[in-house]
Amino acid sequence: MRLVATVSNSEELKLAERADLIELRLDLGEFKEIPRGNFIVTCRRKSEGGLYDGEEEKRIEKMRFFAEKVNAELVDLEFDLPDRYFKEFNCKIIESYHNFKETPNYSFLKDLVESKRGDYFKIATLGKSEEDWRKIVKILLEYENVVAFLMGEKFSYTRIFSAYLGSPFIYCYVGTKKAPGQIELNDAAQILRLLGVRR
Amino acid sequence: MRLVATVSNSEELKLAERADLIELRLDLGEFKEIPRGNFIVTCRRKSEGGLYDGEEEKRIEKMRFFAEKVNAELVDLEFDLPDRYFKEFNCKIIESYHNFKETPNYSFLKDLVESKRGDYFKIATLGKSEEDWRKIVKILLEYENVVAFLMGEKFSYTRIFSAYLGSPFIYCYVGTKKAPGQIELNDAAQILRLLGVRR
């Protein structure tokens, strides 16, 4: 499992030194000087909780430019994008599904994961009940290379526990919170220390 | 979920003030003055990692005596005890299965839980791989009123995470560690605080 710091600008990059992987959110702010590191390049649309509101072709172009510039390890592409975009990047791909209204039923999630075109499939949905967590757990038990957790203040724990069921990344914030229930990078590291996982 | 402090003697009782429930381990030491509280009465045999090495009838008698004395909420009875002992207590019963060598396969665990005679079934087995944790998760997804986790230093996390799949008790230590991988009471409380569960 790796701790991912989601960052919105050059200032926040400085707070992310202890992260294993850094997600550059191109939709949230400007990045000027970028230090060496392992990066996920993401430019989230408004419909998925981001701030990007422009043309789709330009968004992909912006991501491609940054992915090359920082020699990105991963790029995040939404599940509803056409196949052609998945062939335009020279790095690994996280195919992502976000739902800020609810957690769909298990068979819907299963179909999503089975139609995966990237290297990883990411599911981030709004949690409303313990039952939603059980759906995510079942997905994680059944499939590899899936990043899955619930959004919502009451479901922060799912961000950590999913990593103990094979989910490879724990998305954390530095500076300002980027999604409901996100845990601060140092708090996440502290939890893992108390559980005996990290020093 | 409730934090349980496992205590071996009157001294350790003083360290357990912040616990929701206290497990009195009669096999580990002496209890003289016992404050008011919510208690689990346990007297573990050597074969299950305890120190009790005497006659079985006397062990049960000792537990019955203490359960009445402290007005116990729960008593812990091992899964291989005859039915008659399950009728001799005026409190709820945790029927327990311990295995310090391995985690048996899923169908073995499933059969154990399905033959439950107490109010809760407790499974505590030695973890060797991630696969062992997946067996426990499957049991927790399928059954209610099951306390289940893996023993072993690498599997401390299972003690906390099982509570997010319905396991009602998180067994912690105060003073000295009673089982491999047990988390100290204050550390467990700190983890829950960082996850936003407790104040």
Side-chain angles (χ1 to χ4, degrees), chain A residues 86-102:
Chain A
F86 284 77
K87 294 167 190 148
E88 292 188 15
F89 290 87
N90 292 319
C91 59
K92 289 196 174 176
I93 290 171
I94 300 171
E95 185 173 356
S96 65
Y97 171 75
H98 291 77
N99 188 326
F100 287 83
K101 288 186 186 155
E102 61 176 1

Side-chain angles (χ1 to χ4, degrees), chain A residues 157-172:
Chain A
Y157 69 88
T158 67
R159 295 173 177 268
I160 304 277
F161 298 179
S162 59
Y164 288 89
L165 287 167
S167 187
F169 311 129
I170 300 175
Y171 286 80
C172 306

Side-chain angles (χ1 to χ4, degrees), chain B residues 29-71:
Chain B
E30 296 293 320
F31 295 95
K32 286 159 195 170
E33 284 175 39
I34 299 174
R36 279 173 171 271
N38 302 313
F39 295 103
I40 303 173
V41 169
T42 301
C43 185
R44 199 69 78 210
R45 302 174 298 206
K46 276 213 162 169
S47 54
E48 264 96 17
L51 286 182
Y52 187 86
D53 203 15
E55 282 175 30
E56 203 58 357
E57 280 293 345
K58 284 188 181 164
R59 185 171 73 97
I60 303 296
E61 186 46 44
K62 188 174 183 174
M63 289 170 74
R64 194 161 39 218
F65 175 79
F66 264 88
E68 281 187 23
K69 184 175 166 185
V70 304
N71 192 22

Side-chain angles (χ1 to χ4, degrees), chain A residues 130 133-134 137-138 140-143 153 156-157 160-161 163-166 183 187 190-191 194-195 197, chain B residues 130 133-134 137-138 140-143 153 156-157 160-161 164-166 183 187 190-191 194-195 197:
Chain A
E130 299 282 318
W133 172 227
R134 299 165 92 86
V137 168
K138 278 184 205 160
L140 290 169
L141 284 177
E142 193 151 349
Y143 299 97
E153 294 305 330
S156 294
Y157 69 88
I160 304 277
F161 298 179
Y164 288 89
L165 287 167
I183 300 171
D187 285 347
Q190 171 75 347
I191 292 168
L194 289 167
L195 291 171
V197 182
Chain B
E130 300 281 319
W133 172 227
R134 298 165 92 86
V137 168
K138 279 184 204 161
L140 290 168
L141 284 177
E142 192 150 352
Y143 299 97
E153 295 304 331
S156 294
Y157 69 88
I160 303 278
F161 298 178
Y164 289 89
L165 287 168
I183 300 172
D187 284 347
Q190 170 75 348
I191 292 167
L194 290 167
L195 292 171
V197 182

